[in-house]
Amino acid sequence: MANSGKRLKSARAAIDRTRAYPVDEAVGLLKSAASAKFDETFELAMNLNVDPRHADQMVRGTVNLPSGTGKTVRVAVFAKGDKADEARAAGADVVGDDDLAAQIQAGQIDFDRAIATPDMMALVGRLGRILGPRGLMPNPRLGTVTPNVAEAVQAAKGGQVQFRVEKAGIVHGGVGKASFDQDALVANIRAFADAIIKAKPAGAKGTYVKGVHISTTMGPGVAVEIASLTA
């Protein structure tokens, strides 16, 4: 623990807290400071000028990260018949209908994303109290209620990230691993930021993006120049 404390102190000392860095420079600083014994996750946090308590200021959606997430995503699919076969062929980890619902009700939730065909939503709706708080409820707006289950499974496995603004107006999400090269991380960060900017709600007034920071699992946060995200 002493060594990790020294590393964090050293990393913080290298960062000028009074300035925002161009995104490539910010990534370079964090990559050079990432020295944990595991592959640290890079996370992007955007502070938005919205109040998600108002429906017309909600920010949510999905983004496909061009360099992937660097983590294995386990996918569950509610489907039957041919659609269940398609889901399995596409690489879904868990596929079922009533049996899958029973597993979830029993507390067996060993997946990171849930997808459902439209005809399964009557069944899935009964699981809302369990799946909703975990952010696992299939939603047509996020492409997780769809007849195209193979496509949805592949997207989830291939680097698609869901985002949703929190009460304080902050959207955050993992954008890769410290082992990624710098260009891959910058591409992911810009893709994520672009998706948030494009998801600007009708009710947002004034300056939409108030601030952007990136950090690693064990590292400090670094402020990023907003203009460098769209360069």
Side-chain angles (χ1 to χ4, degrees):
M1 291 295 291
N3 285 339
S4 63
K6 286 179 181 178
R7 284 198 301 268
L8 186 56
K9 189 174 181 179
S10 175
R12 284 183 172 146
I15 296 165
D16 182 351
R17 296 286 182 169
T18 66
R19 63 169 290 205
Y21 290 84
V23 62
D24 53 349
E25 192 176 340
V27 168
L29 280 169
L30 288 175
K31 273 183 65 67
S32 64
S35 54
K37 293 181 179 178
F38 61 93
D39 195 3
E40 297 182 51
T41 296
F42 264 72
E43 182 159 299
L44 174 70
M46 298 181 71
N47 187 6
L48 307 179
N49 186 24
V50 297
D51 183 349
R53 290 175 299 179
H54 301 288
D56 66 347
Q57 294 186 49
M58 171 54 67
V59 180
R60 71 181 302 182
T62 60
V63 56
N64 292 313
L65 299 181
S67 308
T69 62
K71 74 175 200 175
T72 301
V73 177
R74 287 184 56 83
V75 178
V77 178
F78 289 89
K80 56 186 176 183
D82 291 344
K83 292 298 179 183
D85 293 338
E86 286 177 27
R88 292 187 188 94
D93 299 280
V94 188
V95 182
D97 45 89
D98 290 324
D99 55 332
L100 177 53
Q103 286 179 30
I104 292 168
Q105 287 170 330
Q108 298 173 34
I109 305 172
D110 60 342
F111 53 87
D112 309 296
R113 184 78 60 88
I115 294 163
T117 54
D119 61 311
M120 289 281 102
M121 287 311 293
L123 171 66
V124 176
R126 299 201 293 270
L127 304 171
R129 289 185 179 179
I130 302 172
L131 298 179
R134 293 173 169 81
L136 294 172
M137 190 67 182
N139 186 311
R141 289 174 58 193
L142 299 177
T144 47
V145 177
T146 175
N148 303 316
V149 289
E151 185 179 308
V153 170
Q154 290 163 357
K157 294 272 190 182
Q160 186 187 74
V161 173
Q162 296 181 352
F163 59 83
R164 178 172 179 154
V165 66
E166 297 177 348
K167 288 180 182 178
I170 295 171
V171 176
H172 64 87
V175 289
K177 296 288 187 177
S179 60
F180 286 18
D181 66 40
Q182 183 162 319
D183 288 345
L185 283 164
V186 170
N188 275 359
I189 290 167
R190 283 183 168 150
F192 194 105
D194 183 59
I196 303 302
I197 291 167
K198 287 179 177 174
K200 180 180 179 179
K205 306 297 182 186
T207 301
Y208 176 49
V209 180
K210 292 164 40 176
V212 179
H213 287 77
I214 57 173
S215 60
T216 54
T217 308
M218 302 296 290
V222 178
V224 178
E225 284 181 0
I226 297 170
S228 72
L229 295 170
T230 56

